[in-house]
Amino acid sequence: MTSVINVNLPEQSYEIAIPAVSSANAPLSLDQLGQQMASLKLGKKVLLVSNPTILKHFGERAIASLTSAGFDVASCTLPPGERYKTLNSIQKLYDIALENRLERSSTMVALGGGVIGDMTGFAAATWLRGINVVQVPTTLLAMVDSAIGGKTGVNHPHGKNLIGAFHQPRLVLIDPNILKTLPMREFRAGMAEVIKYGVIWDAELFAQLEASKRLDQLRYVKPELINHILTHSCQAKADVVSKDEKEGGLRAILNYGHTIGHAVESLTGYRLVNHGEAVAIGMVAAGQIAVELGLWQKEDTERQNALIQKTGLPTQLPAGVDIEEIIQALQLDKKVKAGKVRFVLPTEIGVVTVTDEVPSDIIRQVLRAM
């Protein structure tokens, strides 16, 4: 049984296809990639972009599926890790696109996590002023968040995702069975984004997570809950993006936990904490800021923090991170408007507000307590 979630947009709507978790011996939905793409009437040339580890696990099956559907496939491998999400990596991607004479009808396929998805999307957005991109996320974080919505980009030495473009995929193909190969730390990182959806949009999802005994490893999470997590998180993202494709208003709520989270990532050189861990820290900070401003009940922030701890994610700032440097880094955030930092702050489980009226002293106070 496959769930199909529609992202309805004025210019280019698309589907998120999510088959239910199946037995270990069941064929991967990755084997249907070529067939799914052929139904979209795309050009024959495809550039599959991945990292060496993912390509080793799944590249052969993806390429076999694409070639059997009549596509002419080339591949490009980029190094794993946020610190390689740079214009230098994009240059390599451009070189291979040129080598293989990718045309405007051609497609780049991102087979990987958020880093591969963001870079492939950005390269597709800018090659020949825009070609097709298909997202095949292989991490929980990418499945529930970064593969959906068309945000693409690379990092600048002074800030995360400062260089980028909106470029919607033609298809998002999610295979939950791929999660079985995911390292434990990466599974936890994805759970940060899932908790985010519970806080900003879906109180029922939050309650389902609370009811689970353990969330720190995939093997302790029932298949039914994995299906629920994927479908509800993807539906939440699709709902928000369909209402506000390019972050003119509502879509800003998807940045819950990301304002301080991005600053922590940047200041630790994208090496000490991964994106999900940084978002978890950012959510703890944002929740406490909301309490200090009288927007959120203390009991609710305690529920949120308990859920974050249940996933094994951090709730404290990394040792050695300078609070004043965080305050300065916030000024480089993409969401700064007229010099004011915008925060997404919860008012109840499932509801948030966006404000730029957060005094620096409150931010300092909260961060010092972490």
Side-chain angles (χ1 to χ4, degrees), residues 203-216:
E204 184 204 335
L205 173 61
F206 191 95
Q208 290 271 357
L209 297 173
E210 280 188 309
S212 181
K213 285 186 179 176
R214 288 188 68 170
L215 293 169
D216 56 323

Side-chain angles (χ1 to χ4, degrees), residues 89-305:
S89 295
I90 295 295
Q91 183 63 53
K92 180 184 177 183
L93 225 165
Y94 289 152
D95 291 344
I96 294 175
L98 183 62
E99 225 174 87
N100 290 277
R101 300 289 187 266
L102 259 61
E103 304 162 354
R104 281 193 170 166
S105 63
S106 302
T107 306
M108 291 186 186
V109 176
L111 177 65
V115 170
I116 290 294
D118 280 4
M119 287 197 290
T120 307
F122 181 64
T126 49
W127 185 252
L128 303 179
R129 296 194 177 95
I131 66 171
N132 302 311
V133 65
V134 167
Q135 295 280 354
V136 186
T138 60
T139 66
L140 179 59
L141 193 150
M143 288 177 184
V144 300
D145 193 68
S146 61
I148 305 161
K151 274 191 178 181
T152 73
V154 293
N155 300 329
H156 184 277
H158 294 295
K160 186 175 164 100
N161 293 334
L162 291 179
I163 306 158
F166 285 97
H167 191 59
Q168 298 294 343
R170 297 298 305 275
L171 168 72
V172 179
L173 181 65
I174 293 173
D175 192 329
N177 292 300
I178 288 176
L179 293 175
K180 293 167 187 171
T181 66
L182 196 63
M184 194 189 310
R185 187 180 181 193
E186 290 299 323
F187 176 75
R188 291 172 176 170
M191 287 304 300
E193 296 285 359
V194 175
I195 293 169
K196 176 193 80 174
Y197 288 120
V199 175
I200 70 168
W201 194 256
D202 192 334
E204 184 204 335
L205 173 61
F206 191 95
Q208 290 271 357
L209 297 173
E210 280 188 309
S212 181
K213 285 186 179 176
R214 288 188 68 170
L215 293 169
D216 56 323
Q217 295 181 45
L218 177 65
R219 62 182 172 149
Y220 296 121
V221 185
K222 292 179 181 176
E224 303 79 42
L225 182 55
I226 290 294
N227 291 333
H228 190 87
I229 281 169
L230 290 173
T231 54
H232 278 244
S233 298
C234 290
Q235 188 67 63
K237 182 79 179 264
D239 287 347
V240 173
V241 171
S242 295
K243 289 180 171 70
D244 178 17
E245 182 182 359
K246 295 187 177 177
E247 207 167 298
L250 176 67
R251 186 167 176 171
I253 71 171
L254 296 172
N255 294 310
Y256 179 58
H258 288 58
T259 305
I260 285 171
H262 281 170
V264 170
E265 274 186 281
S266 177
L267 291 171
T268 54
Y270 305 107
R271 292 171 187 265
L272 188 60
V273 294
N274 63 31
H275 179 64
E277 290 162 350
V279 168
I281 292 165
M283 287 193 292
V284 171
Q288 190 57 41
I289 288 169
V291 170
E292 297 297 331
L293 294 176
L295 297 173
W296 208 23
Q297 297 298 315
K298 186 170 182 283
E299 295 77 16
D300 284 337
T301 197
E302 287 170 352
R303 285 175 66 194
Q304 171 195 258
N305 296 353

Side-chain angles (χ1 to χ4, degrees), residues 305-365:
N305 296 353
L307 197 48
I308 290 169
Q309 287 171 331
K310 192 193 286 189
T311 62
L313 286 162
T315 56
Q316 302 289 320
L317 283 174
V321 175
D322 186 270
I323 288 169
E324 288 309 312
E325 286 187 356
I326 293 179
I327 301 291
Q328 288 169 28
L330 294 178
Q331 289 299 322
L332 295 173
D333 191 87
K334 299 184 300 301
K335 300 170 289 297
V336 168
K337 192 171 183 180
K340 288 188 171 185
V341 182
R342 286 192 297 163
F343 276 88
V344 182
L345 301 176
T347 56
E348 58 185 273
I349 300 292
V351 183
V352 289
T353 188
V354 181
T355 179
D356 60 8
E357 298 297 327
V358 181
S360 295
D361 287 348
I362 293 287
I363 303 171
R364 284 188 183 90
Q365 175 188 324

